[in-house]
């Protein structure tokens, strides 16, 4: 389909091109390596993963991506690592602009988001002692944190991506 209820639907080719732009940007960011992605058009799942040498590389990538796509990623999302306390922090500030844009979508189309999720997995080479987000879970091997939230909760601001992960010293 080219449109659904008056909303333009990008083609698979366009989605691939946009993802490849993101991947090129990520690969060209100093301190980022092993960039991989997968687009599953049967289940509508996009996966992007990478390794990073330092947290500033993630912030640099977010800034570059914001400029490239003319969006405000860095104004509401940033990362920090404190080596002394062994804490990794993702700061997230809700922006009401997301809800304003979502409100423009016809009601029946909003229902399509009922089954949509934002999923984030952060892996470490050390064991995790604790994490602070009530929606996140530490893996059985204690080296990853899974955060899965409903897209609608993220859109309307009833959940947060903020998390402080403390590693075992």
């Amino acid at each position: 389909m080219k449109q659904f209820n008056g909303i333009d639907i990008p083609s698979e080719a366009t989605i691939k091109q946009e993802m490849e732009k993101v991947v090129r940007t990520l690969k060209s960011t100093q301190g980022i390596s092993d960039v991989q992605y997968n687009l599953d058009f049967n289940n509508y799942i996009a996966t992007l993963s990478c390794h990073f040498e330092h947290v500033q590389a993630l912030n640099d990538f977010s800034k570059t991506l914001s400029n490239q796509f003319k969006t405000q990623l860095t104004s509401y999302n940033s990362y920090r690592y404190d080596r002394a306390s062994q804490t990794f922090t993702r700061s997230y500030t809700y922006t009401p602009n997301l809800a304003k844009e979502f409100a423009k979508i016809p009601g029946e189309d909003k229902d399509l988001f009922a089954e949509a999720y934002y999923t984030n997995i952060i892996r470490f080479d050390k064991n995790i002692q604790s994490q602070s987000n009530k929606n996140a879970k530490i893996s059985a091997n204690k080296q990853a944190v899974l955060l899965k939230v409903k897209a609608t909760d993220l859109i309307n601001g009833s959940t947060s991506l903020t998390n402080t992960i403390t590693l075992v010293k």
Side-chain angles (χ1 to χ4, degrees):
M1 291 190 310
K2 293 188 183 227
Q3 274 196 346
F4 181 76
N5 289 342
I7 299 170
D8 289 334
I9 307 294
S11 67
E12 286 185 18
T14 300
I15 293 170
K16 285 179 186 177
Q17 287 174 339
E18 293 300 314
M19 179 61 99
E20 287 169 1
K21 282 183 192 175
V22 170
V23 168
R24 279 192 304 275
T25 301
L26 193 52
K27 284 181 175 181
S28 68
T29 302
Q30 189 173 2
I32 303 260
S33 63
D34 197 24
V35 179
Q36 298 177 24
Y37 79 97
N38 183 49
L39 296 171
D40 176 350
F41 290 105
N42 292 322
N43 296 301
Y44 305 102
I45 297 173
T47 305
L48 178 65
S49 66
C50 68
H51 292 142
F52 53 94
E53 292 176 23
H54 45 81
V55 174
Q56 188 55 44
L58 290 178
N59 292 324
D60 291 345
F61 166 68
S62 293
K63 184 176 181 179
T64 301
L65 201 62
S66 290
N67 292 336
Q68 182 176 330
F69 289 101
K70 297 174 179 62
T71 183
Q72 296 291 323
L73 292 175
T74 55
S75 65
Y76 60 86
N77 196 49
S78 66
Y79 303 91
R80 191 176 69 248
Y81 179 68
D82 184 317
R83 192 174 302 277
S85 65
Q86 294 288 296
T87 56
F88 175 86
T89 304
R90 178 183 189 172
S91 298
Y92 172 81
T93 304
Y94 172 70
T95 176
N97 291 341
L98 194 54
K100 287 178 187 173
E101 290 300 314
F102 188 67
K104 296 176 184 176
I105 297 173
E108 61 272 9
D109 293 344
K110 288 179 188 172
D111 295 341
L112 298 172
F113 284 84
E115 298 299 318
Y117 288 88
Y118 169 86
T119 305
N120 178 254
I121 301 170
I122 302 174
R123 293 180 179 90
F124 297 90
D125 57 3
K126 293 182 174 184
N127 284 355
I128 298 164
Q129 180 177 317
S130 64
Q131 62 83 32
S132 66
N133 188 302
K134 67 178 180 166
N135 296 311
K137 293 179 175 53
I138 298 174
S139 67
N141 74 357
K142 303 267 192 232
Q143 292 191 329
V145 172
L146 166 74
L147 175 60
K148 183 176 178 179
V149 296
K150 292 186 78 157
T152 51
D153 291 345
L154 199 53
I155 290 167
N156 67 34
S158 64
T159 192
S160 177
L161 303 177
T162 295
N163 201 358
T164 299
I165 301 166
T166 304
L167 305 176
V168 174
K169 293 180 185 179

